[in-house]
Amino acid sequence: ASDVDEANNIVGEPGTGTFLENASFLDGDYTAGDDNPTNPFGTPTVYYSRQSGLWSNVNTWSLTGHSGAPAATVPGAGDIVIIGGNDSVYLATNLTTPNADPRSCAILKIERGSALDIGFNPASNFSLVLNHPNGNGNFRIACDYDSPSTFQFPGGDYSDFNVNIGTTELYTTNPIAGTIYYLPNGITSYGNLILSPLGRSNVIFPNNDLLIYGNLITRGQNADSWFCPVWNVNYPTPPTARIAKTITVNGDLDIQGGGLVWYGGGAITQTFVVNGDVLVNDNSAIDNWDASSARMSIGGSLVNNTTGAAGGGIKTPRECDFRNIPLTFFGSNTSSVTNQRNNPFTRFGTVTIDKGTSQVDSLIIDIGGTLTTPTNNWLTLRNGTLVFRRTNPNSDFTISTTTPFVIPETAGLLIDYPNNSNNRNVLIANSNVNTNDVTLAGKLTVRAGRVFVGPTNG
């Protein structure tokens, strides 16, 4: 009894007893029950969504199922809440003042196709957010209208929801260009993550390594909505000092709108690893704005559907510019650098091909539009076969000029121009110097097209 303070709901110190004396290691969920030996906790009430609407509306809820009669009350802190049937439940919210309508429950489940939008109510507490057996839906959180601001999560344990690929959507409500919103530090994983800024707001990733179990989807309204691994100032919440970090996406990176942009990191390396595909939509971009230290690895395909346009009030060119982003293609599969529409601009800096452990796995470059590469020391083949298969390219493909080029034993280079009416060439060692030998330990295949080893006039 000396270790229990019932007035302040404290177990342990500071009390007159010795339990947890000078201990700082306790971290976990806890509960307490009454002394009824047959039913100490009572039977929790289960609330089912029965229509889309406000949490505070009794007509939103039923005690018998998703098509049952309306409940007499709404869920509270000790209840179980199941949102399903493609319903969207939301909390009343104020764009500038937090906690207009905070809500809580003991257990929350959101079925795939359904959503809970808590708005700007960070004082909410959902205790345990658990996996729904039919798959998991969308949990939406708004940020403070004011800039700069950091997203604030309500209380609760989201680990089961995340591991089972539940979707978290973070959105902003301020359309003013240049506004800045930070993902919260200390949150190290999500299931699927959707970033939805309004207007030309910028969203900054947290100051820690981040794992996304599913897909990362960005829904900026144009390429001037930036999604940045880091910004050019320290973080507003601890830890504030910027660190080198890795953002890993186990699924796809789907840039439906906005730009993945490195900015302000200086020599602090920010690494993006995508195990699936990278898809870049029409009005979008990938860029390194100020030559910050950057790296990117792609396990699947790069699909560049950008328009290649500039201007129109948008400062960020709508293209994929990797000139200051060292790029590695990895994975035991055949993937592509390609497009499905438009005439995109794709600009490579240094590229490493590391597909599988032999020549079997391939990266096929068949993208339309404009593809630019450096002229020296930019392409490294480690494993797998690089297949160059562009139809009517608008420029020669230069692999090396004055530097060596090596095709190792477990790698290959395959040239296949299915229609080369522009008479474009593949240029290797395109200079009359003695420093640009080609070492062939693997396989060089010319199926169609023209490959020059040495200058074209030699």
Side-chain angles (χ1 to χ4, degrees):
S2 61
D3 290 304
V4 179
D5 180 350
E6 294 184 8
N8 297 300
N9 299 317
I10 295 173
V11 178
E13 300 304 310
T16 59
T18 59
F19 182 58
L20 298 180
E21 186 96 40
N22 299 320
S24 59
F25 53 79
L26 186 65
D27 182 15
D29 296 324
Y30 65 91
T31 188
D34 63 25
D35 59 357
N36 182 331
T38 59
N39 189 17
F41 299 105
T43 301
T45 302
V46 180
Y47 285 82
Y48 301 87
S49 67
R50 58 181 298 274
Q51 65 181 32
S52 296
L54 280 166
W55 182 298
S56 59
N57 183 355
V58 293
N59 294 305
T60 302
W61 306 106
S62 172
L63 301 182
T64 58
H66 294 303
S67 58
T73 59
V74 300
D79 299 322
I80 296 173
V81 172
I82 302 175
I83 301 174
N86 295 319
D87 296 329
S88 293
V89 178
Y90 54 94
L91 277 55
T93 192
N94 186 305
L95 299 182
T96 57
T97 303
N99 303 315
D101 183 26
R103 297 288 168 172
S104 298
C105 65
I107 292 175
L108 171 66
K109 297 181 181 181
I110 308 172
E111 186 181 23
R112 179 185 293 131
S114 301
L116 172 61
D117 186 346
I118 73 159
F120 185 32
N121 286 285
S124 300
N125 191 318
F126 302 106
S127 297
L128 288 173
V129 185
L130 299 182
N131 176 49
H132 194 288
N134 297 335
N136 294 295
N138 192 354
F139 186 81
R140 303 186 75 232
I141 301 173
C143 198
D144 190 346
Y145 182 91
D146 297 330
S147 169
S149 292
T150 300
F151 285 94
Q152 301 176 60
F153 265 73
D157 182 345
Y158 299 82
S159 55
D160 194 49
F161 180 75
N162 289 334
V163 169
N164 289 284
I165 320 297
T167 298
T168 300
E169 181 174 359
L170 305 178
Y171 66 95
T172 70
T173 56
N174 188 338
I176 298 174
T179 47
I180 303 167
Y181 299 94
Y182 294 87
L183 270 65
N185 293 337
I187 295 180
T188 59
S189 64
Y190 294 90
N192 296 315
L193 177 60
I194 300 175
L195 302 176
S196 301
L198 188 65
R200 298 185 185 181
S201 297
N202 305 301
V203 177
I204 317 303
F205 285 91
N207 201 28
N208 50 257
D209 289 342
L210 183 64
L211 171 62
I212 298 169
Y213 290 104
N215 301 323
L216 171 59
I217 300 170
T218 68
R219 291 177 176 168
Q221 293 184 323
N222 57 56
D224 283 347
S225 296
W226 286 4
F227 307 90
C228 299
V230 73
W231 199 241
N232 66 339
V233 295
N234 284 341
Y235 282 77
T237 58
T240 58
R242 294 167 293 166
I243 64 169
K245 60 180 177 286
T246 299
I247 300 163
T248 303
V249 181
N250 282 348
D252 297 335
L253 169 58
D254 186 0
I255 306 178
Q256 297 177 5
L260 173 60
V261 178
W262 277 257
Y263 172 72
I268 308 171
T269 304
Q270 309 293 316
T271 302
F272 236 94
V273 178
V274 180
N275 289 303
D277 298 333
V278 175
L279 305 107
V280 191
N281 200 33
D282 305 56
N283 204 14
S284 306
I286 296 178
D287 202 347
N288 189 339
W289 197 255
D290 60 358
S292 296
S293 182
R295 288 194 303 244
M296 188 169 188
S297 298
I298 302 174
S301 296
L302 170 63
V303 183
N304 180 5
N305 291 324
T306 60
T307 60
I314 301 174
K315 296 180 180 180
T316 309
R318 282 144 279 181
E319 59 187 39
C320 288
D321 188 347
F322 296 97
R323 286 177 293 183
N324 290 302
I325 307 172
L327 186 59
T328 297
F329 290 94
F330 68 97
S332 298
N333 52 42
T334 295
S335 53
S336 301
V337 177
T338 191
N339 66 304
Q340 299 159 330
R341 57 185 177 273
N342 301 326
N343 292 296
F345 277 79
T346 309
R347 307 183 191 276
F348 282 152
T350 60
V351 176
T352 299
I353 310 299
D354 195 4
K355 303 287 291 180
T357 58
S358 68
Q359 300 171 5
V360 173
D361 299 302
S362 301
L363 177 72
I364 302 170
I365 300 179
D366 61 2
I367 192 165
T370 298
L371 173 66
T372 66
T373 65
T375 58
N376 269 313
N377 202 33
W378 68 273
L379 178 61
T380 300
L381 301 181
R382 289 180 181 166
N383 295 289
T385 298
L386 175 62
V387 180
F388 197 71
R389 186 177 284 153
R390 299 187 71 207
T391 300
N392 292 328
N394 54 16
S395 63
D396 291 337
F397 182 56
T398 301
I399 292 178
S400 66
T401 303
T402 61
T403 55
F405 178 61
V406 178
I407 303 177
E409 184 178 1
T410 55
L413 175 64
L414 190 157
I415 307 302
D416 182 16
Y417 278 134
N419 180 4
N420 192 20
S421 61
N422 286 334
N423 293 318
R424 299 301 184 183
N425 306 310
V426 176
L427 306 178
I428 307 174
N430 187 31
S431 180
N432 187 21
V433 297
N434 200 33
T435 58
N436 56 0
D437 291 339
V438 177
T439 302
L440 178 60
K443 180 183 286 187
L444 172 61
T445 305
V446 183
R447 182 171 294 164
R450 300 188 302 189
V451 179
F452 286 85
V453 180
T456 56
N457 61 354

